[in-house]
Amino acid sequence: YDLVGLDNLVANTAYLRAQQVDYDELRKRRVSLTLPKPKNSSGLLLDRKYESVCEQQPIGRKLFQEFLLASNPQYVAAAEFPEELSHWRFAEDEAREKAKRSILAKFCQPESKSFLSYLTGEAAEICKNLSNKNFDEEALEQIKEATRDFLRGKPFLEFMKSPFFYRFLQWKEYEKQKITNKYFYEFRTLGKGGFGEVCAVQVKYTGQMYACKKLDKSRLKKKGGERFALLEKQILEKVNSLFIVNLAYSYNDKTHLCLVMDLMNGGDLKFHIYELGERGIRMERLIYYTAQITTGILHLHSMDVVYRDMKPENVLLDAKGQCRLSDLGLAVELPKGRTICQKKKKGFAGTTGYMAPEILKQENYRISVDWWALGCSIYEMVAARLPFKDFREKVHNEEVTRRTLEDECKFEHKNFDDPTKDLISRFLRKKQLHRLGSRGEDPRSHRFFQSINFHRLEAGLVEPPWVPKSNVVYARNTDEFRDNSEVENIKFDAKDEKFFNEFSTGAVSVRWQKEMIDSGVFDELNDPKLNGHGCESVWT
Ligand code: ADP
Ligand code: MG
Ligand code: MG
């Protein structure tokens, strides 16, 4: 028997089986869970802004909705209007007409019980006069804004004195629990990085699967990687995009710092270009991925973050076939209007074959290095080679640098069509200022993206052109990740411990709350019949 193959098979089976959640089993595991009492201090330290509590945090949002729906008809209407509005926005054809008629009948007729009676001034006029003819985005946005203004006033104040808000504080207390290895089951290794491996994990009480990127503390210290590890974590927890991996938890054990992220079980794009049948990715998929990648990059740039590691290997697919950028280990935040200044050799970042001319010439650079690398990546998805480096070509870095600086990009592969060639050429302009995207123009208006409806794409509503099979593991065999390198025993001092603590902040609010809701834990614990203390107590 091939023992290595057997090991791999066992690891794959356990990993695939874990993804088939057994809800009855899970419910049994958590009958004893109860929500803690909020400590006095936690309520005071809490961020009490309306946007944070009632809009950004999923549990706060849900409890605020419940509060509104349990109040008077006016509050009920204010809760329902934004929901129906967003339903209309994303609906198509017949469904859209229906949504429109419903909004007009429910919210705009003074005799309806859901009439938006709280509106005043201009918004009230617009609402009353809304009809089939003037039903447009702008008018509705104005009513929506006026609704928000209303909600953040009296309703929000009342909410904060209600049992619903006490519940919210209980959840916030629960959210602060200390996270350790015991919180998860661990499955097979999915990939390997510079400071350790990435494996699949599952939260015991919710069944939620994640990927855990483990950074070896000794190796980090030896190579001075601490600063970038912390930066990676801080940027990951700040981003909020469908096209960038989300961070759910960060914690540490004796030997590793751990980043727990969305599990992307469809494999990375490099794997898809080179390891699955015919090389390259067909045009329909490639356009879809490029649209998502571009939106992800624009999101980073809007936060003044330069990604610096754009390449197919760092773009991962999820179970549905949508992709996200991962590996923000080289990302940096730019102070407004500044460039990244390259002191000799330092600040030199990226991967051979994807680095822009300005990086290679050690000039100052900005966000446009990401557009260059995207140009190289699109080229690679079509041709299964890089513009200045052939697949598996043994070539010195100096020669790749020379070609990048001097040669024109050639399009010899049969799959290049006109729009694709044009887009790549614009991303591969050697001068930063001539490059598409470098002066804040939006690359998504290029005709290459003609078939993509970006509104729907950003709402996650465009069907992926290809869906990973649920019984296939899109990763190399486990034995290919075995680690033979010795890590010597490195001692940690007080400064190291301080850094480990700064890194280990536990659950990330938005992602954790979403997990509680998706897994049903929120509904189970929120039901007053199921857990001893109901909603009677009022927070003082
Ligand atoms: P490094 O910064 O050391 O390159 P990465 O973050 O790129 O580490 O992770 C290494 C590899 O682990 C990736 O190439 C990928 O194959 C796998 N991997 C990383 N993140 C995930 C994830 N969220 N889901 C699934 N696999 C992942
Ligand atoms: Mg990587
Ligand atoms: Mg990295």
Side-chain angles (χ1 to χ4, degrees):
Y1 251 119
D2 170 4
L3 283 180
V4 172
L6 196 60
D7 271 355
N8 190 59
L9 186 69
V10 170
N12 280 354
T13 307
Y15 166 61
L16 290 172
R17 190 170 294 159
Q19 292 177 53
Q20 313 291 317
V21 183
D22 177 348
Y23 289 99
D24 290 336
E25 165 64 27
L26 277 176
R27 236 168 251 133
K28 264 183 243 154
R29 258 185 234 164
R30 59 200 189 205
V31 277
S32 61
L33 282 188
T34 52
L35 285 176
K37 276 213 167 71
K39 296 202 186 71
N40 252 312
S41 58
S42 64
L44 298 175
L45 291 172
L46 193 79
D47 177 4
R48 284 168 185 258
K49 286 208 191 71
Y50 172 79
E51 284 74 13
S52 167
V53 177
C54 303
E55 293 183 344
Q56 286 150 7
Q57 301 187 56
I59 286 183
R61 194 186 142 90
K62 249 184 120 87
L63 288 168
F64 185 55
Q65 285 299 100
E66 283 182 17
F67 160 78
L68 292 173
L69 295 178
S71 305
N72 58 56
Q74 194 182 46
Y75 287 15
V76 174
E80 288 175 346
F81 173 72
E83 300 290 314
E84 292 208 19
L85 178 58
S86 78
H87 180 69
W88 169 75
R89 278 191 175 144
F90 295 118
E92 282 180 321
D93 310 328
E94 187 52 33
R96 193 173 162 93
E97 275 308 304
K98 219 177 130 198
K100 175 170 155 182
R101 281 198 300 275
S102 162
I103 289 176
L104 284 171
K106 255 179 102 170
F107 304 110
C108 307
Q109 309 296 328
E111 59 279 7
S112 157
K113 81 171 185 329
S114 306
F115 178 61
L116 305 183
S117 55
Y118 53 82
L119 295 177
T120 56
E122 203 185 339
E125 283 309 306
I126 295 176
C127 178
K128 255 179 281 176
N129 296 321
L130 210 57
S131 72
N132 252 320
K133 281 189 224 96
N134 58 7
F135 199 86
D136 61 38
E137 198 56 64
E138 205 182 320
L140 289 155
E141 191 54 36
Q142 220 164 328
I143 301 175
K144 189 180 164 196
E145 270 311 303
T147 300
R148 273 181 88 192
D149 285 341
F150 167 67
L151 289 176
R152 65 150 62 86
K154 196 162 146 261
F156 180 49
L157 287 176
E158 287 172 15
F159 168 66
M160 289 208 290
K161 290 192 201 109
S162 76
F164 294 92
F165 189 67
Y166 180 81
R167 254 297 143 82
F168 181 61
L169 293 177
Q170 285 186 288
W171 282 102
K172 291 303 281 183
E173 192 63 42
Y174 191 23
E175 184 184 299
K176 282 192 306 197
Q177 69 194 302
K178 191 164 170 56
I179 306 295
T180 66
N181 283 339
K182 292 204 187 76
Y183 192 81
F184 307 98
Y185 296 117
E186 190 174 315
F187 298 93
R188 60 158 286 174
T189 304
L190 299 169
K192 211 176 138 190
F195 291 107
E197 56 176 39
V198 174
C199 61
V201 296
Q202 181 175 40
V203 175
K204 289 182 180 169
Y205 290 103
T206 66
Q208 178 71 50
M209 301 290 298
Y210 286 111
C212 179
K213 178 167 171 172
K214 297 175 168 180
L215 306 165
D216 188 304
K217 288 177 173 175
S218 307
R219 230 175 275 181
L220 271 180
K221 180 162 186 183
K222 204 171 137 202
K223 294 192 192 156
E226 293 101 328
R227 194 166 67 86
F228 277 120
L230 188 61
L231 207 57
E232 175 171 18
K233 181 244 165 190
Q234 288 168 340
I235 294 176
L236 270 178
E237 75 187 337
K238 249 194 293 183
V239 297
N240 182 14
S241 163
L242 213 53
F243 309 117
I244 302 171
V245 291
N246 285 297
L247 185 69
Y249 303 89
S250 58
Y251 71 97
N252 76 106
D253 60 19
K254 254 208 168 101
T255 50
H256 291 86
L257 298 179
C258 301
L259 292 171
V260 179
M261 310 169 281
D262 294 320
L263 174 66
M264 304 297 286
N265 49 9
D268 64 63
L269 289 187
K270 185 180 179 193
F271 189 80
H272 284 269
I273 296 172
Y274 295 106
E275 318 243 350
L276 293 171
E278 199 182 327
R279 289 211 203 119
I281 294 178
R282 71 183 157 81
M283 206 39 94
E284 190 198 5
R285 283 178 66 187
L286 190 159
I287 294 172
Y288 180 81
Y289 299 149
T290 308
Q292 299 193 325
I293 295 167
T294 304
T295 309
I297 291 178
L298 284 169
H299 182 75
L300 290 176
H301 290 177
S302 75
M303 297 166 52
D304 287 309
V305 168
V306 188
Y307 182 25
R308 301 205 299 181
D309 211 8
M310 177 60 222
K311 54 179 174 180
E313 190 186 336
N314 284 336
V315 180
L316 311 178
L317 294 186
D318 68 12
K320 286 187 273 176
Q322 310 206 333
C323 69
R324 292 178 190 263
L325 306 178
S326 80
D327 194 357
L328 274 73
L330 283 182
V332 284
E333 262 177 289
L334 282 182
K336 268 254 180 298
R338 294 274 187 75
T339 54
I340 296 169
C341 166
Q342 302 193 69
K343 289 180 222 110
K344 286 246 146 65
K345 298 234 168 67
K346 278 205 182 152
F348 193 88
T351 306
T352 305
Y354 303 89
M355 279 187 274
E358 58 270 24
I359 301 182
L360 298 169
K361 286 196 283 187
Q362 311 208 343
E363 295 169 355
N364 293 350
Y365 61 88
R366 280 184 54 81
I367 55 164
S368 45
V369 297
D370 290 339
W371 299 123
W372 174 279
L374 177 57
C376 296
S377 303
I378 302 170
Y379 189 104
E380 189 176 13
M381 288 192 265
V382 178
R385 56 155 291 166
L386 282 165
F388 304 109
K389 186 173 175 291
D390 207 346
F391 179 53
R392 292 206 177 128
E393 185 185 7
K394 292 263 176 302
V395 54
H396 284 294
N397 288 349
E398 290 76 19
E399 171 59 9
V400 178
T401 300
R402 189 203 61 73
R403 292 179 194 167
T404 307
L405 296 179
E406 294 169 13
D407 293 356
E408 278 309 307
C409 167
K410 293 198 195 73
F411 299 99
E412 279 160 359
H413 197 280
K414 62 177 174 17
N415 287 2
F416 284 112
D417 58 15
D418 267 349
T420 311
K421 278 193 275 194
D422 188 70
L423 182 67
I424 294 172
S425 306
R426 286 170 195 274
F427 280 144
L428 295 187
R429 295 270 156 81
K430 313 237 187 243
K431 288 213 171 70
Q432 287 186 68
L433 278 179
H434 296 170
R435 200 170 301 150
L436 179 60
S438 65
R439 278 160 303 160
E441 70 280 36
D442 192 334
R444 295 179 300 180
S445 37
H446 191 277
R447 65 194 155 102
F448 172 83
F449 296 114
Q450 212 170 334
S451 60
I452 302 284
N453 176 339
F454 279 97
H455 276 298
R456 289 178 58 80
L457 189 86
E458 285 186 70
L461 295 174
V462 179
E463 289 290 311
W466 179 85
V467 181
K469 295 197 181 79
S470 62
N471 59 347
V472 171
V473 177
Y474 294 89
R476 290 161 172 278
N477 287 351
T478 46
D479 58 287
E480 293 180 47
F481 300 119
R482 290 258 151 84
D483 193 4
N484 318 314
S485 69
E486 295 267 319
V487 195
E488 47 192 299
N489 205 357
I490 287 184
K491 288 263 178 316
F492 301 117
D493 55 30
K495 212 172 124 223
D496 297 321
E497 296 300 336
K498 185 166 166 270
F499 158 68
F500 298 151
N501 280 329
E502 198 182 347
F503 183 95
S504 309
T505 45
V508 178
S509 287
V510 172
R511 192 65 198 82
W512 181 83
Q513 292 185 16
K514 196 168 173 307
E515 181 186 335
M516 292 305 118
I517 293 171
D518 292 349
S519 62
V521 174
F522 175 78
D523 286 334
E524 281 166 39
L525 293 196
N526 236 27
D527 183 346
K529 287 191 293 295
L530 283 180
N531 94 60
H533 36 94
C535 253
E536 303 85 33
S537 27
V538 172
W539 174 250
T540 44

